[in-house]
Amino acid sequence: MDSRQEQIQGRTTMSEHAAVDQEASNARRGRGASGGAAARRAARSGGGPGTQLTYIKRKINVYEVLDEEGLALIEKNTDTVLEEIGIIFRDDAEALQLWKEAGADIKGERVHFPKGLCRSLLKTAPSVYTQHARNSERSVQIGGNATVFAPVYGPPFVRDLDGVRRYATIEDFQNFVKLAYMAPSIHHSGGTVCEPVDVPVNKRHLDMIYSHIKYSDKPFMGSVTAPERAEDTVAMAKIVFGDDFVENNTVLTSLINANSPMVFDETMLGALKVYARHNQACIVTPFILAGAMSPVTVAGTLTQVLAEVLAGASFTQLIRPGAPVLFGTFASSISMQSGAPTFGTPEPSLVSYGAAQLARRLGLPFRTGGSLCASKVPDAQAAYESANTLNSTILAGTNFVLHSAGWLEGGLASCYEKFMMDIDQLGMTQKFSEGVDLSENGQAMDAIRQVGPGSHYLGCDHTQANFQTAFYRSNIADNNSYEQWLAEGEKTAPQRANDLARRWLESYEAPYLDPSIDEALKDFIAKKKGSMPDAFT
Amino acid sequence: MDSRQEQIQGRTTMSEHAAVDQEASNARRGRGASGGAAARRAARSGGGPGTQLTYIKRKINVYEVLDEEGLALIEKNTDTVLEEIGIIFRDDAEALQLWKEAGADIKGERVHFPKGLCRSLLKTAPSVYTQHARNSERSVQIGGNATVFAPVYGPPFVRDLDGVRRYATIEDFQNFVKLAYMAPSIHHSGGTVCEPVDVPVNKRHLDMIYSHIKYSDKPFMGSVTAPERAEDTVAMAKIVFGDDFVENNTVLTSLINANSPMVFDETMLGALKVYARHNQACIVTPFILAGAMSPVTVAGTLTQVLAEVLAGASFTQLIRPGAPVLFGTFASSISMQSGAPTFGTPEPSLVSYGAAQLARRLGLPFRTGGSLCASKVPDAQAAYESANTLNSTILAGTNFVLHSAGWLEGGLASCYEKFMMDIDQLGMTQKFSEGVDLSENGQAMDAIRQVGPGSHYLGCDHTQANFQTAFYRSNIADNNSYEQWLAEGEKTAPQRANDLARRWLESYEAPYLDPSIDEALKDFIAKKKGSMPDAFT
């Protein structure tokens, strides 16, 4: 508790410091100009990132795999699980006390929920919220028809630009933050884009949060590996945004995994409580390898997922009614031969689609999917699996997409080349989400009349007027002739992605950060680090 | 006309011959045993193809991108195109005469259609038909909730198992037929799986049709490169199935491309007339590279596609009311930099979804999509693009899927490795199409009760009872640990696909074909070939 108190003290000091700059900081939030300049320069040098896109506002329909009867059946079964089997809240006396007061039946650490309790609590959770970025142009809507793409989360390894697979470092971490900052189709800086294994594990979160703030102006995620690290995250956010702003708004969206099946552990509950108390968003996510952490069937998995989310998400409302919380689902299956997780296969897609439907009925923003794969290299397997996952992610109507880019090896490695290929796919997804333009220009009747039978549209007025925006332009795909491709060195997609990543990193320029905020952040980190011995486990 | 008469004579002779064997042949159609034996032996030797799947009976919803208003708008615009702009039927006096008699307004070669004429004619076209295979277990339903996968069609090149890109040969053709025969998730042998460039162009179709009959027992497509080649196809089908059977059933589904924009040429019309007259199915397909053959917008492209399909498909009903005809769409865009076709991008997906909706409203079976890509090698680009195309293909509710496997280089090359990777994806698609199992076993409540919080499902009764069928098993994906993957030689997906293709081809065994039918086919081919000089252009 001593370190907590110290943190809270430190936070207060820092917050006062930050308050001085808040007005200026707020004014700056409209800028984003330096990012634009870097983008423009990179674009001029060829293969630059291009114009930043705001989060996706889907104009397309969602795809659904369950009808009303199926949804009602799963919800009924979920009520049975919650009431009869219950969910363990492990090593957290406060949580058990809160649940008791709320009317749950506590047996040991197992919480049994009377029918309707969780749903009733969730009525105070918002279906849509804004996560503010320090550049207000990069603030994102989470929920409703919005989709937000965030990078890969969690890998201890990287596959680097020399094709070497090794432990990740803080430099890699910063590189991925930089690439995500530059990527037009990445709307969110994410969290642990890779584990900076060269930094002591108890201090790592400070450098990670600082990197997100320093090297990007997109919104980011908080540390969840210990409650005090969550507190540090909130404290650093207050330096940037100011105390009041943080308490009254949401500037962090953080990942709270259930320990499936049907357990929330003290680490995750501790982080959840910190974020919820400060009005910051939690993504309550059953991390499911079906066949191991859930039943081998889709309907069985959905039942357990819904039970875990109902318990964990409604717990945030016991902490602070109105705190944003997402319905998360990480869906994978295991190989029945080896027990290894598999990705991009049919069953997790069905789980994602079904879970999205359950989330909509609950009125919570939904997180699933990304560009998931089991491949060890950015090859065809990686791409098939990632594309399958991403297609179901977007059509499910997912609101927050972690692991959108860079994920390799079932999440064990962050891969630069795959990151660049994936963001190209995200751009396509964003274009697809605009749906069909039915305006007069979209109908193109004048073009059809002008061209007529047996001619071509290449030079017609309508084509000339629309060719800049008509089709998505990939910066990875090679659509040239075989002969031209040969002449250009027979490069594969990952090789082209490698070239692009190098060019982007060379042309990167950090977005403006008020020097006094930067200093305050550095002071905070120095003090925190000075108070702790190095720990590597 | 001489060669036509000769053909017809030849056909009659052969048909009589065939009639003798018809009863036996019909009896045999229930077998498929030899294929099963080969599959079982290959399976025993490891990595074999496994059990043949029947065509997909989709239990999942279709995905739609247009609402009623959008559909009605496009249909209205289409009526305008058909009436005011018209469609050219080139160098085909018979077609123009038929259209005149049907009530169209003919100006030169341009046919202007009074509102409602095409739709009215299409009332006789079936919304669902059966394409019979010589093994009745392999017969397919085309239309309704069925989806049928057929291989790549048309490439003059192959990328072979030694990684060499070269002109295709008849041996390659046979290899792809063999692989498609063995592939559980390929339901149809297709047509020009590659162009056997080593066979004279005027004789090639005979060897191709023979290969489909000899090396597979799945349904196949007919030649469309000249009306007399279509006649040869029908004649050979009659040898296999008998005259009456062919005239009263459908044993061929063949590809009739529009010469977009808004032209049908004499070659395609000639083939269409042959097939329709014999009650054989035509896939009337606007082959669209949007921006060149159609407007750059999705709605404009859909309008033109619908106009071309309405004109071409309804023409089949002028030839023979009731002849099966499909609403085809080949959707691609062009790169606005190079003019090269691009695949797997958002706009063609929107076109496919929209066209599928228009086809359903018209009551015609629908063809689009496949595993399309522009990549020159089976790399990540190939896989992303193919997966994007295949995902939209299946969710659109496509009934017949050409280019399902093996397509590379925008259709210029058939690739063995990609074929093997694609069929794995098709298998996943088929599993996905089964949707969510909501049976008591699917609900898995006993499993959730048995396992409870904090345990795992690996050994529970429900997992044991279901693990064989619970999850799709890929024979291409490597889901093992990085260390195991290293130890096994760091193979990429195409390398594993290469191994698999070699093993399959080694273990291939032809399905049973009645020797007298085989002889009759060979005689027919020898006579036809003897009547023609070699032509290579």
PDB file of all heavy atoms in Angstrom, chain B residues 63 65 298 302 329-332 346-358 360 366-370 372 389 392-393 396-398:
ATOM      1  N   TYR B  63     -25.021 -11.892 -47.059  1.00  0.00           N
ATOM      2  CA  TYR B  63     -24.707 -10.529 -46.654  1.00  0.00           C
ATOM      3  C   TYR B  63     -25.110  -9.587 -47.786  1.00  0.00           C
ATOM      4  O   TYR B  63     -24.858  -9.884 -48.946  1.00  0.00           O
ATOM      5  CB  TYR B  63     -23.208 -10.388 -46.370  1.00  0.00           C
ATOM      6  CG  TYR B  63     -22.812  -9.001 -45.935  1.00  0.00           C
ATOM      7  CD1 TYR B  63     -23.135  -8.540 -44.665  1.00  0.00           C
ATOM      8  CD2 TYR B  63     -22.126  -8.144 -46.796  1.00  0.00           C
ATOM      9  CE1 TYR B  63     -22.781  -7.264 -44.256  1.00  0.00           C
ATOM     10  CE2 TYR B  63     -21.767  -6.864 -46.386  1.00  0.00           C
ATOM     11  CZ  TYR B  63     -22.100  -6.433 -45.120  1.00  0.00           C
ATOM     12  OH  TYR B  63     -21.749  -5.166 -44.713  1.00  0.00           O
ATOM     13  N   VAL B  65     -25.375  -5.510 -49.342  1.00  0.00           N
ATOM     14  CA  VAL B  65     -24.838  -4.140 -49.240  1.00  0.00           C
ATOM     15  C   VAL B  65     -25.817  -3.089 -49.768  1.00  0.00           C
ATOM     16  O   VAL B  65     -25.567  -1.900 -49.616  1.00  0.00           O
ATOM     17  CB  VAL B  65     -23.497  -4.000 -49.997  1.00  0.00           C
ATOM     18  CG1 VAL B  65     -22.424  -4.871 -49.362  1.00  0.00           C
ATOM     19  CG2 VAL B  65     -23.652  -4.319 -51.479  1.00  0.00           C
ATOM     20  N   VAL B 298     -19.237   1.631 -58.182  1.00  0.00           N
ATOM     21  CA  VAL B 298     -19.894   0.343 -57.931  1.00  0.00           C
ATOM     22  C   VAL B 298     -21.312   0.343 -58.499  1.00  0.00           C
ATOM     23  O   VAL B 298     -21.719  -0.591 -59.203  1.00  0.00           O
ATOM     24  CB  VAL B 298     -19.916   0.038 -56.416  1.00  0.00           C
ATOM     25  CG1 VAL B 298     -20.780  -1.183 -56.112  1.00  0.00           C
ATOM     26  CG2 VAL B 298     -18.493  -0.169 -55.902  1.00  0.00           C
ATOM     27  N   LEU B 302     -22.713  -1.999 -61.450  1.00  0.00           N
ATOM     28  CA  LEU B 302     -23.846  -2.915 -61.232  1.00  0.00           C
ATOM     29  C   LEU B 302     -24.941  -2.693 -62.268  1.00  0.00           C
ATOM     30  O   LEU B 302     -25.566  -3.646 -62.741  1.00  0.00           O
ATOM     31  CB  LEU B 302     -24.406  -2.735 -59.820  1.00  0.00           C
ATOM     32  CG  LEU B 302     -23.558  -3.344 -58.700  1.00  0.00           C
ATOM     33  CD1 LEU B 302     -24.081  -2.899 -57.332  1.00  0.00           C
ATOM     34  CD2 LEU B 302     -23.542  -4.870 -58.797  1.00  0.00           C
ATOM     35  N   THR B 329     -20.990 -12.662 -62.832  1.00  0.00           N
ATOM     36  CA  THR B 329     -20.293 -11.385 -62.675  1.00  0.00           C
ATOM     37  C   THR B 329     -18.836 -11.686 -62.405  1.00  0.00           C
ATOM     38  O   THR B 329     -18.531 -12.425 -61.460  1.00  0.00           O
ATOM     39  CB  THR B 329     -20.852 -10.583 -61.477  1.00  0.00           C
ATOM     40  OG1 THR B 329     -22.248 -10.393 -61.660  1.00  0.00           O
ATOM     41  CG2 THR B 329     -20.171  -9.228 -61.370  1.00  0.00           C
ATOM     42  N   PHE B 330     -17.961 -11.147 -63.240  1.00  0.00           N
ATOM     43  CA  PHE B 330     -16.541 -11.189 -62.918  1.00  0.00           C
ATOM     44  C   PHE B 330     -16.143  -9.769 -62.580  1.00  0.00           C
ATOM     45  O   PHE B 330     -16.127  -8.898 -63.440  1.00  0.00           O
ATOM     46  CB  PHE B 330     -15.716 -11.704 -64.098  1.00  0.00           C
ATOM     47  CG  PHE B 330     -14.247 -11.739 -63.793  1.00  0.00           C
ATOM     48  CD1 PHE B 330     -13.663 -12.886 -63.275  1.00  0.00           C
ATOM     49  CD2 PHE B 330     -13.439 -10.625 -64.000  1.00  0.00           C
ATOM     50  CE1 PHE B 330     -12.306 -12.914 -62.973  1.00  0.00           C
ATOM     51  CE2 PHE B 330     -12.087 -10.650 -63.693  1.00  0.00           C
ATOM     52  CZ  PHE B 330     -11.515 -11.789 -63.182  1.00  0.00           C
ATOM     53  N   ALA B 331     -15.872  -9.519 -61.302  1.00  0.00           N
ATOM     54  CA  ALA B 331     -15.655  -8.150 -60.841  1.00  0.00           C
ATOM     55  C   ALA B 331     -14.196  -7.923 -60.478  1.00  0.00           C
ATOM     56  O   ALA B 331     -13.627  -8.638 -59.663  1.00  0.00           O
ATOM     57  CB  ALA B 331     -16.530  -7.883 -59.630  1.00  0.00           C
ATOM     58  N   SER B 332     -13.613  -6.928 -61.104  1.00  0.00           N
ATOM     59  CA  SER B 332     -12.258  -6.496 -60.797  1.00  0.00           C
ATOM     60  C   SER B 332     -12.218  -4.995 -61.016  1.00  0.00           C
ATOM     61  O   SER B 332     -13.140  -4.412 -61.585  1.00  0.00           O
ATOM     62  CB  SER B 332     -11.280  -7.210 -61.735  1.00  0.00           C
ATOM     63  OG  SER B 332     -10.024  -6.592 -61.715  1.00  0.00           O
ATOM     64  N   PRO B 346     -11.643  -3.476 -52.199  1.00  0.00           N
ATOM     65  CA  PRO B 346     -13.003  -3.321 -51.673  1.00  0.00           C
ATOM     66  C   PRO B 346     -14.082  -3.208 -52.752  1.00  0.00           C
ATOM     67  O   PRO B 346     -15.182  -3.746 -52.577  1.00  0.00           O
ATOM     68  CB  PRO B 346     -12.936  -1.999 -50.890  1.00  0.00           C
ATOM     69  CG  PRO B 346     -11.507  -1.648 -50.749  1.00  0.00           C
ATOM     70  CD  PRO B 346     -10.738  -2.391 -51.766  1.00  0.00           C
ATOM     71  N   GLU B 347     -13.769  -2.531 -53.838  1.00  0.00           N
ATOM     72  CA  GLU B 347     -14.820  -2.216 -54.805  1.00  0.00           C
ATOM     73  C   GLU B 347     -15.375  -3.465 -55.485  1.00  0.00           C
ATOM     74  O   GLU B 347     -16.604  -3.607 -55.600  1.00  0.00           O
ATOM     75  CB  GLU B 347     -14.311  -1.183 -55.814  1.00  0.00           C
ATOM     76  CG  GLU B 347     -13.860   0.141 -55.177  1.00  0.00           C
ATOM     77  CD  GLU B 347     -12.438   0.110 -54.608  1.00  0.00           C
ATOM     78  OE1 GLU B 347     -11.710  -0.856 -54.905  1.00  0.00           O
ATOM     79  OE2 GLU B 347     -12.063   1.036 -53.861  1.00  0.00           O
ATOM     80  N   PRO B 348     -14.538  -4.384 -55.966  1.00  0.00           N
ATOM     81  CA  PRO B 348     -15.098  -5.615 -56.541  1.00  0.00           C
ATOM     82  C   PRO B 348     -15.921  -6.427 -55.533  1.00  0.00           C
ATOM     83  O   PRO B 348     -16.896  -7.084 -55.924  1.00  0.00           O
ATOM     84  CB  PRO B 348     -13.858  -6.397 -56.980  1.00  0.00           C
ATOM     85  CG  PRO B 348     -12.821  -5.362 -57.202  1.00  0.00           C
ATOM     86  CD  PRO B 348     -13.077  -4.308 -56.165  1.00  0.00           C
ATOM     87  N   SER B 349     -15.545  -6.377 -54.264  1.00  0.00           N
ATOM     88  CA  SER B 349     -16.363  -7.084 -53.264  1.00  0.00           C
ATOM     89  C   SER B 349     -17.756  -6.479 -53.198  1.00  0.00           C
ATOM     90  O   SER B 349     -18.767  -7.191 -53.149  1.00  0.00           O
ATOM     91  CB  SER B 349     -15.709  -7.011 -51.881  1.00  0.00           C
ATOM     92  OG  SER B 349     -14.565  -7.818 -51.835  1.00  0.00           O
ATOM     93  N   LEU B 350     -17.817  -5.148 -53.209  1.00  0.00           N
ATOM     94  CA  LEU B 350     -19.129  -4.488 -53.182  1.00  0.00           C
ATOM     95  C   LEU B 350     -19.934  -4.849 -54.430  1.00  0.00           C
ATOM     96  O   LEU B 350     -21.146  -5.083 -54.356  1.00  0.00           O
ATOM     97  CB  LEU B 350     -18.958  -2.968 -53.066  1.00  0.00           C
ATOM     98  CG  LEU B 350     -18.408  -2.467 -51.720  1.00  0.00           C
ATOM     99  CD1 LEU B 350     -18.009  -0.990 -51.807  1.00  0.00           C
ATOM    100  CD2 LEU B 350     -19.434  -2.660 -50.599  1.00  0.00           C
ATOM    101  N   VAL B 351     -19.250  -4.900 -55.576  1.00  0.00           N
ATOM    102  CA  VAL B 351     -19.938  -5.280 -56.815  1.00  0.00           C
ATOM    103  C   VAL B 351     -20.493  -6.703 -56.697  1.00  0.00           C
ATOM    104  O   VAL B 351     -21.650  -6.964 -57.042  1.00  0.00           O
ATOM    105  CB  VAL B 351     -18.993  -5.159 -58.037  1.00  0.00           C
ATOM    106  CG1 VAL B 351     -19.623  -5.805 -59.276  1.00  0.00           C
ATOM    107  CG2 VAL B 351     -18.660  -3.698 -58.319  1.00  0.00           C
ATOM    108  N   SER B 352     -19.687  -7.610 -56.177  1.00  0.00           N
ATOM    109  CA  SER B 352     -20.148  -8.999 -56.043  1.00  0.00           C
ATOM    110  C   SER B 352     -21.368  -9.101 -55.130  1.00  0.00           C
ATOM    111  O   SER B 352     -22.341  -9.785 -55.454  1.00  0.00           O
ATOM    112  CB  SER B 352     -19.025  -9.879 -55.490  1.00  0.00           C
ATOM    113  OG  SER B 352     -18.070 -10.135 -56.487  1.00  0.00           O
ATOM    114  N   TYR B 353     -21.282  -8.444 -53.984  1.00  0.00           N
ATOM    115  CA  TYR B 353     -22.427  -8.483 -53.063  1.00  0.00           C
ATOM    116  C   TYR B 353     -23.680  -7.918 -53.735  1.00  0.00           C
ATOM    117  O   TYR B 353     -24.770  -8.499 -53.637  1.00  0.00           O
ATOM    118  CB  TYR B 353     -22.128  -7.676 -51.795  1.00  0.00           C
ATOM    119  CG  TYR B 353     -21.237  -8.363 -50.796  1.00  0.00           C
ATOM    120  CD1 TYR B 353     -20.042  -7.791 -50.370  1.00  0.00           C
ATOM    121  CD2 TYR B 353     -21.587  -9.595 -50.236  1.00  0.00           C
ATOM    122  CE1 TYR B 353     -19.217  -8.403 -49.429  1.00  0.00           C
ATOM    123  CE2 TYR B 353     -20.779 -10.222 -49.302  1.00  0.00           C
ATOM    124  CZ  TYR B 353     -19.597  -9.621 -48.902  1.00  0.00           C
ATOM    125  OH  TYR B 353     -18.795 -10.239 -47.980  1.00  0.00           O
ATOM    126  N   GLY B 354     -23.519  -6.789 -54.397  1.00  0.00           N
ATOM    127  CA  GLY B 354     -24.677  -6.148 -55.034  1.00  0.00           C
ATOM    128  C   GLY B 354     -25.236  -6.993 -56.160  1.00  0.00           C
ATOM    129  O   GLY B 354     -26.461  -7.147 -56.298  1.00  0.00           O
ATOM    130  N   ALA B 355     -24.347  -7.557 -56.971  1.00  0.00           N
ATOM    131  CA  ALA B 355     -24.801  -8.369 -58.106  1.00  0.00           C
ATOM    132  C   ALA B 355     -25.548  -9.607 -57.606  1.00  0.00           C
ATOM    133  O   ALA B 355     -26.547 -10.024 -58.214  1.00  0.00           O
ATOM    134  CB  ALA B 355     -23.614  -8.768 -58.975  1.00  0.00           C
ATOM    135  N   ALA B 356     -25.079 -10.190 -56.523  1.00  0.00           N
ATOM    136  CA  ALA B 356     -25.767 -11.362 -55.959  1.00  0.00           C
ATOM    137  C   ALA B 356     -27.199 -11.002 -55.566  1.00  0.00           C
ATOM    138  O   ALA B 356     -28.134 -11.783 -55.777  1.00  0.00           O
ATOM    139  CB  ALA B 356     -25.003 -11.898 -54.747  1.00  0.00           C
ATOM    140  N   GLN B 357     -27.361  -9.818 -55.004  1.00  0.00           N
ATOM    141  CA  GLN B 357     -28.713  -9.379 -54.631  1.00  0.00           C
ATOM    142  C   GLN B 357     -29.594  -9.219 -55.871  1.00  0.00           C
ATOM    143  O   GLN B 357     -30.760  -9.616 -55.870  1.00  0.00           O
ATOM    144  CB  GLN B 357     -28.637  -8.041 -53.887  1.00  0.00           C
ATOM    145  CG  GLN B 357     -28.010  -8.146 -52.510  1.00  0.00           C
ATOM    146  CD  GLN B 357     -28.064  -6.811 -51.775  1.00  0.00           C
ATOM    147  OE1 GLN B 357     -27.059  -6.114 -51.702  1.00  0.00           O
ATOM    148  NE2 GLN B 357     -29.206  -6.450 -51.243  1.00  0.00           N
ATOM    149  N   LEU B 358     -29.021  -8.623 -56.914  1.00  0.00           N
ATOM    150  CA  LEU B 358     -29.789  -8.432 -58.154  1.00  0.00           C
ATOM    151  C   LEU B 358     -30.167  -9.780 -58.763  1.00  0.00           C
ATOM    152  O   LEU B 358     -31.273  -9.955 -59.285  1.00  0.00           O
ATOM    153  CB  LEU B 358     -28.964  -7.597 -59.141  1.00  0.00           C
ATOM    154  CG  LEU B 358     -28.703  -6.148 -58.706  1.00  0.00           C
ATOM    155  CD1 LEU B 358     -27.621  -5.507 -59.585  1.00  0.00           C
ATOM    156  CD2 LEU B 358     -29.995  -5.314 -58.736  1.00  0.00           C
ATOM    157  N   ARG B 360     -30.641 -12.610 -57.132  1.00  0.00           N
ATOM    158  CA  ARG B 360     -31.710 -13.228 -56.331  1.00  0.00           C
ATOM    159  C   ARG B 360     -33.061 -12.636 -56.689  1.00  0.00           C
ATOM    160  O   ARG B 360     -34.067 -13.338 -56.762  1.00  0.00           O
ATOM    161  CB  ARG B 360     -31.432 -13.054 -54.831  1.00  0.00           C
ATOM    162  CG  ARG B 360     -30.545 -14.123 -54.245  1.00  0.00           C
ATOM    163  CD  ARG B 360     -30.502 -14.098 -52.725  1.00  0.00           C
ATOM    164  NE  ARG B 360     -29.830 -12.928 -52.196  1.00  0.00           N
ATOM    165  CZ  ARG B 360     -28.519 -12.805 -52.054  1.00  0.00           C
ATOM    166  NH1 ARG B 360     -27.719 -13.779 -52.422  1.00  0.00           N
ATOM    167  NH2 ARG B 360     -27.989 -11.696 -51.561  1.00  0.00           N
ATOM    168  N   PHE B 366     -26.429 -17.590 -59.292  1.00  0.00           N
ATOM    169  CA  PHE B 366     -25.445 -16.518 -59.392  1.00  0.00           C
ATOM    170  C   PHE B 366     -24.031 -17.068 -59.357  1.00  0.00           C
ATOM    171  O   PHE B 366     -23.702 -17.948 -58.566  1.00  0.00           O
ATOM    172  CB  PHE B 366     -25.646 -15.548 -58.223  1.00  0.00           C
ATOM    173  CG  PHE B 366     -24.682 -14.401 -58.208  1.00  0.00           C
ATOM    174  CD1 PHE B 366     -24.704 -13.447 -59.217  1.00  0.00           C
ATOM    175  CD2 PHE B 366     -23.750 -14.270 -57.189  1.00  0.00           C
ATOM    176  CE1 PHE B 366     -23.813 -12.374 -59.214  1.00  0.00           C
ATOM    177  CE2 PHE B 366     -22.851 -13.205 -57.172  1.00  0.00           C
ATOM    178  CZ  PHE B 366     -22.883 -12.256 -58.183  1.00  0.00           C
ATOM    179  N   ARG B 367     -23.195 -16.505 -60.223  1.00  0.00           N
ATOM    180  CA  ARG B 367     -21.769 -16.848 -60.238  1.00  0.00           C
ATOM    181  C   ARG B 367     -20.936 -15.582 -60.072  1.00  0.00           C
ATOM    182  O   ARG B 367     -21.153 -14.597 -60.755  1.00  0.00           O
ATOM    183  CB  ARG B 367     -21.403 -17.489 -61.580  1.00  0.00           C
ATOM    184  CG  ARG B 367     -19.901 -17.667 -61.778  1.00  0.00           C
ATOM    185  CD  ARG B 367     -19.307 -16.713 -62.826  1.00  0.00           C
ATOM    186  NE  ARG B 367     -17.865 -16.605 -62.646  1.00  0.00           N
ATOM    187  CZ  ARG B 367     -17.011 -16.197 -63.577  1.00  0.00           C
ATOM    188  NH1 ARG B 367     -17.435 -15.865 -64.770  1.00  0.00           N
ATOM    189  NH2 ARG B 367     -15.728 -16.090 -63.295  1.00  0.00           N
ATOM    190  N   THR B 368     -19.973 -15.634 -59.164  1.00  0.00           N
ATOM    191  CA  THR B 368     -18.939 -14.601 -59.092  1.00  0.00           C
ATOM    192  C   THR B 368     -17.757 -15.141 -58.311  1.00  0.00           C
ATOM    193  O   THR B 368     -17.750 -16.276 -57.846  1.00  0.00           O
ATOM    194  CB  THR B 368     -19.446 -13.295 -58.446  1.00  0.00           C
ATOM    195  OG1 THR B 368     -18.537 -12.231 -58.758  1.00  0.00           O
ATOM    196  CG2 THR B 368     -19.521 -13.394 -56.917  1.00  0.00           C
ATOM    197  N   GLY B 369     -16.727 -14.320 -58.192  1.00  0.00           N
ATOM    198  CA  GLY B 369     -15.655 -14.499 -57.221  1.00  0.00           C
ATOM    199  C   GLY B 369     -14.710 -15.636 -57.464  1.00  0.00           C
ATOM    200  O   GLY B 369     -14.378 -15.957 -58.602  1.00  0.00           O
ATOM    201  N   GLY B 370     -14.261 -16.233 -56.369  1.00  0.00           N
ATOM    202  CA  GLY B 370     -13.247 -17.264 -56.414  1.00  0.00           C
ATOM    203  C   GLY B 370     -12.085 -16.881 -55.522  1.00  0.00           C
ATOM    204  O   GLY B 370     -12.260 -16.218 -54.513  1.00  0.00           O
ATOM    205  N   LEU B 372      -9.248 -14.997 -56.309  1.00  0.00           N
ATOM    206  CA  LEU B 372      -8.593 -14.136 -57.300  1.00  0.00           C
ATOM    207  C   LEU B 372      -7.447 -13.344 -56.685  1.00  0.00           C
ATOM    208  O   LEU B 372      -7.524 -12.912 -55.534  1.00  0.00           O
ATOM    209  CB  LEU B 372      -9.612 -13.160 -57.892  1.00  0.00           C
ATOM    210  CG  LEU B 372     -10.932 -13.762 -58.394  1.00  0.00           C
ATOM    211  CD1 LEU B 372     -11.808 -12.675 -59.001  1.00  0.00           C
ATOM    212  CD2 LEU B 372     -10.679 -14.860 -59.412  1.00  0.00           C
ATOM    213  N   THR B 389     -11.481 -12.063 -51.647  1.00  0.00           N
ATOM    214  CA  THR B 389     -12.450 -12.402 -52.696  1.00  0.00           C
ATOM    215  C   THR B 389     -13.329 -13.566 -52.263  1.00  0.00           C
ATOM    216  O   THR B 389     -14.555 -13.532 -52.428  1.00  0.00           O
ATOM    217  CB  THR B 389     -11.713 -12.759 -54.002  1.00  0.00           C
ATOM    218  OG1 THR B 389     -10.732 -11.764 -54.285  1.00  0.00           O
ATOM    219  CG2 THR B 389     -12.692 -12.843 -55.167  1.00  0.00           C
ATOM    220  N   SER B 392     -16.052 -12.629 -49.640  1.00  0.00           N
ATOM    221  CA  SER B 392     -17.232 -11.951 -50.188  1.00  0.00           C
ATOM    222  C   SER B 392     -18.020 -12.887 -51.097  1.00  0.00           C
ATOM    223  O   SER B 392     -19.244 -12.816 -51.167  1.00  0.00           O
ATOM    224  CB  SER B 392     -16.839 -10.661 -50.920  1.00  0.00           C
ATOM    225  OG  SER B 392     -15.933 -10.909 -51.952  1.00  0.00           O
ATOM    226  N   THR B 393     -17.327 -13.790 -51.753  1.00  0.00           N
ATOM    227  CA  THR B 393     -18.009 -14.751 -52.626  1.00  0.00           C
ATOM    228  C   THR B 393     -19.006 -15.597 -51.839  1.00  0.00           C
ATOM    229  O   THR B 393     -20.157 -15.760 -52.247  1.00  0.00           O
ATOM    230  CB  THR B 393     -16.970 -15.680 -53.294  1.00  0.00           C
ATOM    231  OG1 THR B 393     -16.075 -14.889 -54.076  1.00  0.00           O
ATOM    232  CG2 THR B 393     -17.642 -16.718 -54.171  1.00  0.00           C
ATOM    233  N   ALA B 396     -21.855 -13.513 -50.113  1.00  0.00           N
ATOM    234  CA  ALA B 396     -22.811 -12.989 -51.096  1.00  0.00           C
ATOM    235  C   ALA B 396     -23.885 -14.025 -51.414  1.00  0.00           C
ATOM    236  O   ALA B 396     -24.952 -13.676 -51.911  1.00  0.00           O
ATOM    237  CB  ALA B 396     -22.083 -12.579 -52.381  1.00  0.00           C
ATOM    238  N   GLY B 397     -23.593 -15.290 -51.120  1.00  0.00           N
ATOM    239  CA  GLY B 397     -24.540 -16.352 -51.467  1.00  0.00           C
ATOM    240  C   GLY B 397     -24.341 -16.837 -52.892  1.00  0.00           C
ATOM    241  O   GLY B 397     -25.295 -17.232 -53.560  1.00  0.00           O
ATOM    242  N   THR B 398     -23.104 -16.830 -53.347  1.00  0.00           N
ATOM    243  CA  THR B 398     -22.796 -17.231 -54.721  1.00  0.00           C
ATOM    244  C   THR B 398     -23.082 -18.715 -54.920  1.00  0.00           C
ATOM    245  O   THR B 398     -22.762 -19.531 -54.064  1.00  0.00           O
ATOM    246  CB  THR B 398     -21.318 -16.924 -55.027  1.00  0.00           C
ATOM    247  OG1 THR B 398     -21.076 -15.549 -54.710  1.00  0.00           O
ATOM    248  CG2 THR B 398     -20.982 -17.187 -56.478  1.00  0.00           C
TER     249      THR B 398
END
